Amino acid sequence: MKLSIVIPAYNEELRIENKISSYYKFFNNKLSGDFEIIVVPNNCSDNTAIIVEKCSKKYKNLKYKTIPYYVGKGGAVLEGFRISEGDLVGFVDADESTNAQDYYNLYINLNNYDGIIASRSIKGAKINIEQPFIRRFVGACFRYYVMFLFGFSYRDTQCGAKIFRKNVVKCLIKENYVKKWAFDIDLLYTCKRHNFKIREFPTVWTDNADSKLSPFKQSVEMALDALKLRIYHL
């Protein structure tokens, strides 16, 4: 199998069916069915899991694993990694910030790299709908904070669209433990420690206006999680 796409989902009953449908139709056309979509509903209190189960009967390339208790985005993605069968395995957020065409652009530009991550902060990136100023400011501060803590050259660790080769995924499953905001950082730091070559690639991105997250609360949690992760690795 060429590609496995993991979609972690928390209370996404209003968007998940459209996400599955748009990605399925696009990749079924591009990869002639040689792909799979794995949806992992986590700790949902709405009808997300029911909708995903219904979709699985409609789309033969769709798998799902419902986790009724909290494991966070990181735990959901790692569970999807565990049941994936693709030579390339990635994940994407359940909202429409990254559409199927832009995710496919990552797939075809992997080249000889071990992984590729979407970026909103490098030359060539396009933002269709900008985040509010406070979110952009918080994001910029966090970006430089992470670069300082971990010695990254990546300009955007948090964009929710990434693809890795199967051997990298096996390593990530074995070594990663972060469940919340620092999950992406943990993935990339594991890649750095193992000298995997990860490409940062410009993407087209649309702000999710329905985000339930407070920028102030989120920024504090993210900063603390990143610091705890750095101390752990020290």
Side-chain angles (χ1 to χ4, degrees):
M1 183 175 292
K2 292 179 179 177
L3 178 65
S4 297
I5 307 170
V6 178
I7 304 177
Y10 168 68
N11 288 350
E12 293 288 353
E13 65 178 6
L14 299 180
R15 298 184 292 201
I16 194 62
E17 187 168 5
N18 183 62
K19 180 76 172 190
I20 292 170
S21 175
S22 62
Y23 266 63
Y24 181 88
K25 290 174 182 176
F26 183 92
F27 282 96
N28 196 47
N29 177 54
K30 290 291 185 180
L31 301 182
S32 301
D34 199 6
F35 74 101
E36 64 180 357
I37 296 174
I38 304 170
V39 185
V40 186
N42 167 227
N43 199 34
C44 296
S45 58
D46 64 0
N47 293 315
T48 299
I50 296 173
I51 294 170
V52 171
E53 182 180 6
K54 181 184 72 173
C55 289
S56 71
K57 298 174 182 177
K58 181 178 179 182
Y59 303 116
K60 65 178 182 179
N61 297 59
L62 174 64
K63 297 196 298 193
Y64 68 96
K65 175 69 179 288
T66 299
I67 306 175
Y69 49 88
Y70 176 81
V71 296
K73 173 186 173 180
V77 169
L78 290 175
E79 188 58 38
F81 281 0
R82 289 186 185 97
I83 62 176
S84 66
E85 299 179 41
D87 294 324
L88 301 177
V89 185
F91 65 90
V92 66
D93 290 341
D95 60 28
E96 293 300 318
S97 296
T98 302
N99 65 33
Q101 175 64 63
D102 298 318
Y103 197 80
Y104 181 70
N105 288 342
L106 296 180
Y107 172 78
I108 61 176
N109 284 284
L110 179 62
N111 299 333
N112 293 321
Y113 289 86
D114 297 305
I116 186 168
I117 64 174
S119 177
R120 301 159 291 187
S121 304
I122 62 175
K123 185 177 180 180
K126 179 182 178 183
I127 308 299
N128 283 332
I129 300 177
E130 287 276 11
Q131 290 181 316
F133 170 77
I134 186 61
R135 288 191 179 275
R136 298 201 306 273
F137 176 75
V138 168
C141 292
F142 183 75
R143 181 165 66 247
Y144 288 109
Y145 172 72
V146 168
M147 291 172 71
F148 171 75
L149 277 183
F150 295 90
F152 284 158
S153 59
Y154 310 120
R155 304 284 296 180
D156 186 1
T157 60
Q158 302 307 113
C159 189
K162 297 175 172 65
I163 300 175
F164 303 97
R165 296 192 184 279
K166 188 67 173 181
N167 65 307
V168 178
V169 167
K170 289 179 179 178
C171 181
L172 298 177
I173 291 170
K174 187 165 141 185
E175 298 190 21
N176 285 80
Y177 74 98
V178 174
K179 297 178 179 179
K180 296 182 71 176
W181 308 118
F183 169 69
D184 298 81
I185 301 170
D186 198 15
L187 290 186
L188 294 175
Y189 193 63
T190 298
C191 291
K192 180 181 178 180
R193 289 188 290 109
H194 287 274
N195 296 314
F196 291 131
K197 296 189 301 178
I198 306 300
R199 183 179 192 183
E200 187 172 19
F201 192 79
T203 191
V204 178
W205 191 80
T206 303
D207 179 41
N208 171 23
D210 294 328
S211 176
K212 312 174 186 70
L213 306 174
S214 160
F216 297 103
K217 180 180 178 182
Q218 181 184 1
S219 62
V220 172
E221 288 187 6
M222 289 170 68
L224 289 175
D225 282 354
L227 181 59
K228 286 188 287 186
L229 177 64
R230 190 68 188 95
I231 293 172
Y232 171 82
H233 284 295
L234 286 174

